[in-house]
Amino acid sequence: MSTPIASFVVLSGILFAIGTAGVLVRRNALVIFMSVELQLNAVNLALVAFSRMHNELDGQILAFFSMVVAAAEVVVGLAIIVSVYRRRRTADVDAVSELRW
Amino acid sequence: MIDLVWLVPALPLAGAVVTLFAGKRLGKTAGWLASALVACAFVVATGVLLDLVALPAEDRTRVVHLFDWIRVRIFAANVDLLVDPLSVTMILVVTGVGTLIHVYAIGYMEGDPRFGRFFAYLNLFVSFMLLLVLADNYLLLYVGWEGVGLCSYLLIGFWFERPAAASAAKKAFVTTRIGDTAMLVGIALIFVRFGTLDFGSVLHGAGPVLAPVIPEGTATAISLLLLAGAIGKSAQVPLHVWLPDAMEGPTPVSALIHAATMVTAGVYLVVRSHVLFEASEVALVVVLIVGLVTALYAGISAIGQDDIKRVLAYSTISQVGFMFFAAGMKAYAAAIFLLVTHAFYKALMFLSAGAVMHGLADEADLKRMGGLRRAMPVTATAFSIGALALAGVPPFAGFFSKDQIVAEASRSQGVGVWALALVAAFLSALYIARLVFLAFAGERRSATEPHESPPVMIVPLGLLAVGAALSGAALGLTVDGGLARFLEPVVGAVLGAPGGLSEAALAIVSVVLALSAVAFAWIVWGSGKVDWLALRAGPWNSLQRFMNRGMYVDDAYAAVVEKPGKAAGRGLRTFDERVLDGAVNGLGALVRSLAAAGRRIQTGVVRSYAAAFLLGAVAILVYVGVRL
Amino acid sequence: MTADQIVFWVFAPVSIVSALLMLAQRNAVHAALFLIVNLFTLAVFFLLLDAPFLFAVQIIVYAGAIMVLFLFVIMLLGVDREEQLVEHLKGQRPLAVLLGAGLVAEIVVAVRAGIGFAERVPEGFGVVNEGGNPKALSEVLFRDYFLPFEVTSVLLIVAAVSAMVLAQRRARPVTRAEREAGVGGGRP
């Protein structure tokens, strides 16, 4: 492969940045969650790229584990969003701001 | 019997304890029990006297050791009682007059809800007073001194529901406290100089033996400090302000404490310590000046008083001033003589005044009395006897006692002092005659129908009247008569300085003075020919008020001491509230405002939180990146 | 241009654009769909990087399971909800742009300082993938990373249980009035 590894890493950074912006800007809880998934995937990409660079499989293993954990996290997070929605009839994160002064 | 002298203070003390705890159940018996105990003390005192005179004259000093009290490394004081002519004289006066007043009080205080406690306090007072005069060392004397002060406070404020009474009690205590503190310093100084407080060691015997032993400055200091205590307790100028107000207490209290006994404690102290006073050059002069000034001041103020008891209060101040005056002239026997006769006639007049008030439903204003001689003849007679004694009309007691002092003044002091003494004597006759005429002569001005008092009150009056009438003659017609010779072992022989007018001339001068004062008083206040009410309201108004307000001394104290003191207190309170509390509260308020401002960060909006920590994360990364 | 370069330079813009579009969609379903596109491009990248197992797993698990779960929930909560465009928090949008740009700058700087832009991968990855990528992976997984593997399995069980608990419909206690009216099941 002749593509420099740096390209993958920079791409991963860009995707991560987009995910961060998504977390900050969007109000829908589900879309925020999806942005977080985007961030996780960006990191996976970086892991695999470095794994290839070092001629080891550890990065791929880590990416694998990351996926598993992401799956578990999505399950629990969505369950929370659903129960909050049942209470408040809204998925807007700005609306659930009772824990305040 | 001398060994049993401890019974004299112990019997009233037992009475105080019993009536304090069982007073409610005893009811009226408490009064009789208390009186009986004081009477028993009087009997014991008489026995002691008889034993004492059985001894040869030079040997009439006995110390009865009761028990060891304090024994610290450098300081020892025991409970010892001193039996000598002076102390025996005092205990006879205290128990004798005390018994009569106790009996009188049974009638006077009838119906009072705290009847038992009153007699407990009275007995306690008598016990402390006896301890005071029987003490053989300064510490025990001070115990008695403080004890009578306490009982005075309790008894003045006996009707404490009345704010005037409570305030008067407080005033008495605080004012005498000033003197007591000085006296305590004086006692400490005695200990520093002598290493002991026993009378035997400090005073050893009569006469100026002390002069080479202690330096003159120390003697002056000690004497003046002790004198300060005496001034407070005996209500002399400038610490006299508590006595007129102390008339808020029940009349038996005024009679016993503020006429016959407690106010004379100062005189006793000076006479007992006369050796110390003589070792100083100025102390006796100060005593003399204090006495004379007080006698004149109180005499003038007494003329302007409208309350029957306040007239007697100022009269007491004036008469005790005479006693100090005598002591200042080294005429100690004369001072004690006046003390004894004054106890009789002043107690008599106070009790009669109480009978008058009792008969007029507690009316005490002279302007609303008058013509009482018809309604209460016995009381009127008794009071008049006392008044004549005070005025110095022979053959009543006051003539002998007061006359001696004036005579001494003519002999040993200059003409000016003698003249002032004569003026004071004139004034005393004047104010008492005014009192008698306003109350008993003329037409009735009172609203209520007056009536005579019950026998339980009248009989003591009669006995006191006899004493007032006869004690002068009985105790010594001349300056070196019976009492003076009796006291000689203690106070030294009377120095009869030659010169001056003869005895007879002096006597005539005194009598003329007294009678002219009575005549003047009759014309103005008794005959009805002079409209004294109009004169008071009109041209003589400022003089009347000047006399009535005690020459505004109380008001001066209020302005100089009380107002700044209260202002300082208020200032301190404001400081405490605003500055100290303000600082602490301000600190709390500061924290609270900081917290109120700080908590606005918790908006509850998750996205702001996310923004905040992502910002932080990026900043850290930048920092790390720059460092790399 | 070698094949991988072409593939990379075709799919990289796609992934970026799809990510941006995901960000910009007001409808949640549209956003989810764009994310799926992004995940596919990432799978392609895995393939480029000699990780065929991950390529397959990415598509099957991530795009196939996780995103489907996402879509289920979106449907549950209302498909046609449109998010409002008005931003209430002041400065949030500029801040987001700033942070994003900052992050990118960071990465670039870090990469430049670290591995440099010219580094090419060494050729010997085939030795590592001896016997096929899954076999090699499993050897490493069950030998060196056995404990994390077991722990992760526990994690999955916990997640499943918690999801059941959280999403339970909790019965509201029935009031007396309702009971008398004959309404309401569940607990009295």
Side-chain angles (χ1 to χ4, degrees), chain B residues 211 213-223 276 278-283:
Chain B
V213 179
I214 58 169
E216 195 255 334
T218 313
T220 309
I222 293 176
S223 310
L276 289 168
E278 284 172 9
S280 150
E281 281 179 12
V282 292

Side-chain angles (χ1 to χ4, degrees), chain B residues 53-74:
Chain B
V53 296
L55 299 169
E58 319 79 49
D59 191 32
R60 285 180 187 163
T61 304
R62 285 284 183 277
V63 175
V64 178
H65 175 78
L66 288 184
F67 55 89
D68 288 353
W69 181 24
I70 300 177
R71 191 177 298 278
V72 185
R73 253 191 305 147
I74 50 168

Side-chain angles (χ1 to χ4, degrees), chain B residues 563-582:
Chain B
K563 276 204 179 51
K566 279 190 181 162
R570 270 196 301 272
L572 281 177
R573 179 181 133 198
T574 312
F575 177 75
D576 181 48
E577 281 177 3
R578 295 245 193 87
V579 176
L580 294 180
D581 284 355

Side-chain angles (χ1 to χ4, degrees), chain B residues 250-277:
Chain B
T251 305
V253 170
S254 308
L256 182 61
I257 300 184
H258 306 127
T261 44
M262 188 180 92
V263 291
T264 57
V267 181
Y268 168 78
L269 178 66
V270 172
V271 172
R272 177 62 80 190
S273 316
H274 70 92
V275 181
L276 289 168
F277 278 78

Side-chain angles (χ1 to χ4, degrees), chain B residues 115-126:
Chain B
F115 186 83
R117 210 191 294 181
F118 182 79
F119 281 95
Y121 290 160
L122 266 190
N123 264 11
L124 190 65
F125 168 81
V126 171

Side-chain angles (χ1 to χ4, degrees), chain B residues 107-288:
Chain B
Y108 191 84
M109 298 299 291
E110 182 180 343
D112 192 290
R114 290 194 296 270
F115 186 83
R117 210 191 294 181
F118 182 79
F119 281 95
Y121 290 160
L122 266 190
N123 264 11
L124 190 65
F125 168 81
V126 171
S127 168
F128 273 123
M129 187 71 202
L130 291 167
L131 186 66
L132 197 162
V133 298
L134 280 172
D136 188 43
N137 61 65
Y138 276 100
L139 191 62
L140 199 59
L141 186 148
Y142 191 73
V143 170
W145 192 272
E146 289 295 318
V148 298
L150 168 70
C151 294
S152 169
Y153 169 82
L154 289 172
L155 285 164
I156 295 174
F158 187 72
W159 290 320
F160 54 77
E161 301 87 4
R162 294 180 33 178
S167 164
K170 193 173 40 157
K171 184 172 177 180
F173 199 84
V174 171
T175 313
T176 50
R177 195 21 117 221
I178 300 173
D180 294 347
T181 313
M183 180 174 155
L184 196 57
V185 174
I187 293 179
L189 208 53
I190 293 177
F191 173 71
V192 166
R193 182 47 73 172
F194 289 91
T196 171
L197 291 177
D198 295 340
F199 285 166
S201 315
V202 175
L203 301 174
H204 39 228
V209 194
L210 226 40
V213 179
I214 58 169
E216 195 255 334
T218 313
T220 309
I222 293 176
S223 310
L224 290 180
L225 286 168
L226 291 179
L227 179 65
I231 289 177
K233 196 65 89 181
S234 298
Q236 301 294 289
V237 170
L239 292 176
H240 65 282
V241 289
W242 63 271
L243 192 52
D245 286 355
M247 298 297 113
E248 294 285 339
T251 305
V253 170
S254 308
L256 182 61
I257 300 184
H258 306 127
T261 44
M262 188 180 92
V263 291
T264 57
V267 181
Y268 168 78
L269 178 66
V270 172
V271 172
R272 177 62 80 190
S273 316
H274 70 92
V275 181
L276 289 168
F277 278 78
E278 284 172 9
S280 150
E281 281 179 12
V282 292
L284 281 177
V285 174
V286 175
V287 173
L288 193 154

Side-chain angles (χ1 to χ4, degrees), chain B residues 424-618:
Chain B
F426 176 81
L427 286 173
S428 57
L430 183 62
Y431 62 66
I432 203 67
R434 167 181 177 268
L435 177 58
V436 171
F437 293 138
L438 276 180
F440 298 105
E443 297 308 316
R444 205 182 79 190
R445 291 187 297 275
S446 58
T448 50
E449 182 72 42
H451 61 86
E452 191 70 270
S453 304
V456 73
M457 287 165 66
I458 293 296
V459 168
L461 280 183
L463 290 170
L464 281 172
V466 170
L470 302 178
S471 58
L475 289 176
L477 280 162
T478 60
V479 75
D480 47 334
L483 185 64
R485 265 209 314 262
F486 181 59
L487 289 174
E488 210 180 280
V490 184
V491 300
V494 177
L495 323 150
L501 303 172
S502 74
E503 286 282 341
L506 286 169
I508 293 173
V509 170
S510 298
V511 176
V512 165
L513 219 51
L515 289 175
S516 52
V518 172
F520 181 81
W522 167 256
I523 294 171
V524 176
W525 289 291
S527 64
K529 294 199 184 69
V530 176
D531 189 359
W532 48 272
L533 268 173
L535 280 179
R536 271 164 52 136
W540 296 98
N541 186 263
S542 46
L543 178 64
Q544 162 66 20
R545 269 187 310 145
F546 178 73
M547 293 191 295
N548 182 269
R549 302 285 299 171
M551 302 190 194
Y552 300 114
V553 171
D554 251 325
D555 304 305
Y557 281 158
V560 170
V561 175
E562 190 186 327
K563 276 204 179 51
K566 279 190 181 162
R570 270 196 301 272
L572 281 177
R573 179 181 133 198
T574 312
F575 177 75
D576 181 48
E577 281 177 3
R578 295 245 193 87
V579 176
L580 294 180
D581 284 355
V584 173
N585 292 343
L587 202 61
L590 180 69
V591 171
R592 198 188 304 154
S593 59
L594 282 177
R599 69 180 185 172
R600 288 162 166 275
I601 267 186
Q602 304 282 337
T603 55
V605 177
V606 180
R607 296 196 292 138
S608 303
Y609 298 166
F613 75 73
L614 281 173
L615 194 63
V618 170

